[in-house]
């Protein structure tokens, strides 16, 4: 399904853009080349990993919380209080990551455009004895793209750390509550073990959504750029 969707979007872009007048086609050539060769391939993680993770989180997290409440209501209340922090931080981090992904896509488009222009002009540059002239500019563009990519990776690792910390704290609160009630004899051992086993399963789907979100961001940025190109062409 992901392959078919990517192929369909690629075809729509090529059919629409190649029908443009030469002047307009030259203006969008670099963006189209980037999207059709590598940009839209980033949609594959979105279809194959991010969307299934979202569906799993919608189904599994409430189900695990309900089952926990059936065994131990107090532990379920602790989880319900801690659970909203995970999507809240996911939204905040996602807003920053979206801008970073768009910046990385722009840097890659600029680098590819300059590289294509350089390759097309190599005979002329060699004839004029200036074949080494653009080397510094290409190196500078490569450095910009590398810095943009590293900034995106830093945000991804930081968000993974935040999500793991929140999930760990939520499970730890359940463990402390269950442990204290076990010490005072207010809770059966089987109920306590059930609550402890279910607590990580409540947070795990949301953690997976956060992880797959970063893998899918490049594809979503490319898809947004493709839709903009189709709107402009139309």
């Amino acid at each position: 399904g992901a392959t078919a969707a990517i192929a369909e979007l690629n075809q729509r872009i090529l059919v629409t853009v190649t029908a443009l007048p030469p002047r307009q086609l030259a203006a969008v050539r670099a963006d189209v080349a980037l999207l059709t060769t590598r940009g839209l391939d980033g949609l594959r993680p979105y279809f194959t990993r991010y969307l299934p993770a979202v569906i799993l989180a919608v189904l599994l997290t409430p189900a695990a919380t309900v089952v926990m409440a059936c065994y131990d209501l107090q532990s379920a209340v602790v989880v319900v209080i801690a659970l909203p922090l995970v999507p809240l931080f996911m939204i905040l981090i996602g807003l920053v990551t979206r801008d970073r992904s768009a910046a990385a896509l722009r840097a890659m488009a600029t680098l590819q455009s300059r590289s294509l222009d350089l390759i097309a002009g190599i005979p002329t540059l060699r004839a004029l004895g200036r074949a080494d002239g653009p080397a510094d500019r290409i190196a500078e563009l490569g450095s910009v793209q590398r810095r943009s990519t590293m900034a995106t990776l830093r945000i991804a690792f930081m968000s993974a750390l935040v999500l793991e910390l929140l999930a760990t704290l939520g499970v730890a609160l359940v463990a402390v509550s269950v442990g204290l009630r076990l010490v005072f004899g207010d809770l059966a051992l089987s109920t306590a073990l059930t609550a402890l086993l279910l607590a990580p399963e409540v947070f795990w789907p949301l953690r997976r959504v956060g992880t797959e979100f970063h893998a899918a961001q490049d594809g979503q940025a490319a898809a947004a750029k493709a839709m903009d190109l189709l709107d402009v062409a139309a």
Side-chain angles (χ1 to χ4, degrees):
T3 301
I6 294 171
E8 180 184 353
L9 189 53
N10 261 325
Q11 183 180 6
R12 285 180 57 194
I13 292 174
L14 290 174
V15 170
T16 304
V17 171
T18 50
L20 293 175
R23 186 181 298 273
Q24 296 183 24
L25 179 59
V28 298
R29 181 189 64 180
D31 291 334
V32 173
L34 174 63
L35 291 174
T36 55
T37 55
R38 70 182 75 178
L40 291 179
D41 285 338
L43 277 174
R44 197 175 306 279
Y46 175 80
F47 287 120
T48 60
R49 290 156 53 186
Y50 176 69
L51 288 182
V54 171
I55 295 172
L56 190 64
V58 171
L59 297 176
L60 185 57
T61 297
T65 305
V66 170
V67 173
M68 182 184 292
C70 294
Y71 282 91
D72 184 17
L73 184 60
Q74 185 171 334
S75 297
V77 170
V78 172
V79 166
V80 169
I81 293 174
L83 201 58
L85 295 176
V86 177
L88 175 62
F89 278 90
M90 284 171 55
I91 292 172
L92 295 176
I93 296 168
L95 294 176
V96 178
T97 307
R98 180 184 59 188
D99 297 336
R100 285 293 183 182
S101 296
L105 185 65
R106 287 195 300 269
M108 187 181 296
T110 303
L111 178 61
Q112 179 165 313
S113 176
R114 294 298 178 88
S115 300
L116 290 174
D117 290 340
L118 176 61
I119 292 172
I122 281 178
T124 303
L125 292 173
R126 285 178 62 86
L128 297 175
R130 300 187 59 185
D132 297 333
D136 293 338
R137 179 57 179 164
I138 293 297
E140 180 184 349
L141 291 172
S143 298
V144 171
Q145 199 266 342
R146 184 174 64 252
R147 288 195 297 270
S148 178
T149 302
M150 291 303 296
T152 304
L153 287 175
R154 281 195 294 270
I155 294 176
F157 283 118
M158 185 64 68
S159 67
L161 175 63
V162 171
L163 294 178
E164 290 290 338
L165 180 62
L166 290 175
T168 302
L169 288 176
V171 176
L173 289 174
V174 174
V176 170
S177 171
V178 167
L180 289 176
R181 283 181 290 155
L182 273 176
V183 169
F184 292 104
D186 297 332
L187 192 66
L189 179 60
S190 59
T191 304
L193 290 177
T194 303
L196 285 176
L197 289 173
L198 286 174
E201 302 302 324
V202 175
F203 291 95
W204 176 78
L206 291 177
R207 287 158 53 195
R208 186 182 173 194
V209 168
T211 301
E212 302 300 345
F213 173 80
H214 293 288
Q217 267 301 96
D218 290 341
Q220 289 179 280
K225 183 66 176 177
M227 293 304 172
D228 292 339
L229 281 174
L230 291 174
D231 290 340
V232 170

